């Protein structure tokens, strides 16, 4: 199980507090990209009317996802405990194949690189990459 | 053979035209070595790779980043025959360099992120899709001669 150093946690918290005002847009962009670049992910959203980038459903869900990410930032010292409810949700209700976590994390990194080029240094990149991987792990904890 | 739509061809060539070969290759390779430190195993002759700072300032990393970029350029110029064009490179990476092919995907991801950082909003979802399809084809061609 990979752990984040104190320095990495600080980098993650600092970065996300800087972008906290834009999280809704970030969520929308990341999700829009995921559905466009990895069309197989659309299978989880067959119940939506409109899966196009920036649609109302996509925007709303992007906001939900980023809410989860920001919650994870707050609970960075204990992700498995802190994200217990989300973990249950993903394991027993949503049952999203865990390979998709990697896909969404990648799309999120693309959006962060695009919109915060100055702040997305290599050191910040590795810290966030590790953080998102830890979040994904926490979310898939109860799968089996 | 890979089928490219006109839109994809345009996206790929226009992204590539915007890239500075002296910057993108070196930055992507440096990022790969920093974010996925196990990739440093292939560069023991490159001297000091101790920290993000030294990696970013290492002239051998920069030089090799440009070599990698040259490979991409070759692929862009031969979009309809990347497999054949890359056969010698694939053999080189498997037989001489012994690179785990999973590393190609890691470097491809770093390239995507560096380009996203450079292009900003112009790196739309459609452009990203075309670009990632291109990189997937390049990676696949590099993996072909492994057995």
């Amino acid at each position: 199980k990979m752990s984040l150093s104190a320095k990495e946690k600080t980098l993650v918290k600092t970065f996300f507090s800087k972008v906290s005002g834009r999280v809704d847009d970030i969520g929308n962009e990341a999700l829009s990209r995921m559905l466009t670049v990895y069309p197989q992910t659309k299978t989880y959203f067959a119940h939506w009317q409109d899966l196009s980038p920036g649609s109302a459903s996509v925007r709303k869900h992007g906001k939900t996802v980023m809410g989860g990410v920001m919650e994870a930032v707050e609970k960075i010292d204990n992700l498995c405990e802190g994200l217990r409810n989300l973990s249950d949700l993903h394991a027993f209700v949503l049952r999203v194949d865990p390979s998709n976590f990697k896909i969404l994390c990648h799309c999120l990194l693309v959006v962060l690189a695009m919109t915060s080029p100055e702040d997305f240094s290599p050191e910040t990149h590795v810290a966030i990459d590790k953080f998102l991987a830890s979040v994904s792990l926490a979310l898939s904890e109860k799968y089996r | 053979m890979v089928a490219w739509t006109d839109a994809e061809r345009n996206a790929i060539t226009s992204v590539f035209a915007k890239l500075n070969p002296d910057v993108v290759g070196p930055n992507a390779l440096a990022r790969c070595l920093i974010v996925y430190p196990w990739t440093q195993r292939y560069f023991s002759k490159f001297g000091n790779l101790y920290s993000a700072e030294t990696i970013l300032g290492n002239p051998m990393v920069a030089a090799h980043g440009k070599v990698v970029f040259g490979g991409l350029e070759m692929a862009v110029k031969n979009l309809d025959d990347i497999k054949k064009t890359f056969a010698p490179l694939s053999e080189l990476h498997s037989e001489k360099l012994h690179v785990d092919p999973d590393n190609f995907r890691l470097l491809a991801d770093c390239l995507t992120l560096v380009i996203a950082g450079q292009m900003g909003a112009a790196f739309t979802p459609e452009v990203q899709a075309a670009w990632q399809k291109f990189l997937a084809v390049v990676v696949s061609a590099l993996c072909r001669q492994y057995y």
Side-chain angles (χ1 to χ4, degrees):
Chain A
K1 195 175 166 176
M2 114 183 66
S3 59
L4 289 116
S5 68
K7 183 174 178 210
E8 284 166 341
K9 287 181 187 176
T10 304
L11 283 169
V12 170
K13 288 183 155 165
T14 306
F15 183 92
F16 278 100
S17 86
K18 266 190 167 173
V19 305
S20 60
R22 291 191 280 113
V23 284
D24 290 355
D25 283 334
I26 289 172
N28 172 44
E29 273 288 342
L31 212 57
S32 296
R33 263 153 218 289
M34 184 188 81
L35 296 167
T36 306
V37 181
Y38 304 93
Q40 71 271 22
T41 58
K42 292 197 275 193
T43 55
Y44 291 95
F45 305 102
H47 53 288
W48 286 355
Q49 290 273 28
D50 185 358
L51 284 138
S52 57
S55 76
S57 303
V58 172
R59 285 200 163 273
K60 182 166 173 237
H61 198 62
K63 197 171 166 180
T64 302
V65 168
M66 286 312 289
V69 172
M70 296 310 270
E71 185 185 341
V73 173
E74 257 175 66
K75 299 180 176 172
I76 203 169
D77 288 315
N78 197 345
L79 288 173
C80 285
E81 260 307 313
L83 299 180
R84 182 139 296 204
N85 291 341
L86 280 173
S87 182
D88 284 344
L89 177 71
H90 285 76
F92 303 119
V93 181
L94 302 177
R95 289 173 295 190
V96 173
D97 189 301
S99 60
N100 295 289
F101 297 147
K102 252 191 163 183
I103 288 174
L104 182 54
C105 288
H106 170 73
C107 291
L108 191 47
L109 287 176
V110 170
V111 176
L112 298 182
M114 271 170 57
T115 58
S116 303
E118 318 268 279
D119 294 315
F120 196 66
S121 67
E123 274 152 321
T124 299
H125 174 173
V126 60
I128 297 180
D129 194 46
K130 282 176 74 171
F131 165 67
L132 291 176
S134 302
V135 172
S136 304
L137 209 61
L139 285 179
S140 51
E141 251 227 323
K142 308 259 184 60
Y143 270 56
R144 54 177 174 175
Chain B
M1 199 183 90
V2 183
W4 305 103
T5 64
D6 286 340
E8 284 168 343
R9 269 179 216 275
N10 285 338
I12 294 161
T13 51
S14 73
V15 165
F16 205 77
K18 295 189 175 81
L19 304 181
N20 181 344
D22 292 335
V23 169
V24 172
N27 279 356
L29 184 60
R31 216 167 256 263
C32 191
L33 296 170
I34 293 165
V35 179
Y36 309 106
W38 55 92
T39 58
Q40 291 170 23
R41 75 189 299 281
Y42 302 105
F43 301 99
S44 52
K45 299 205 176 99
F46 275 32
N48 193 341
L49 297 175
Y50 285 139
S51 65
E53 238 185 289
T54 59
I55 291 171
L56 287 162
N58 185 314
M60 290 181 84
V61 171
H64 194 66
K66 292 181 194 171
V67 168
V68 168
F69 192 86
L72 273 186
E73 188 162 18
M74 202 168 66
V76 174
K77 294 198 166 122
N78 291 278
L79 274 183
D80 289 313
D81 209 357
I82 294 177
K83 224 168 15 185
K84 194 155 147 233
T85 309
F86 268 53
L89 270 177
S90 179
E91 209 180 306
L92 172 73
H93 284 76
S94 100
E95 298 304 292
K96 291 250 167 62
L97 304 175
H98 306 292
V99 177
D100 181 337
D102 222 52
N103 292 287
F104 304 146
R105 270 158 226 122
L106 298 179
L107 181 54
D109 280 350
C110 287
L111 272 160
T112 300
L113 290 171
V114 167
I115 289 165
Q118 193 187 303
M119 288 180 66
F123 198 61
T124 64
E126 292 74 25
V127 169
Q128 183 186 342
W131 179 254
Q132 288 196 202
K133 179 176 168 179
F134 165 68
L135 285 180
V137 171
V138 170
V139 167
S140 166
L142 274 174
C143 292
R144 266 205 113 226
Q145 305 296 326
Y146 280 71
Y147 64 94

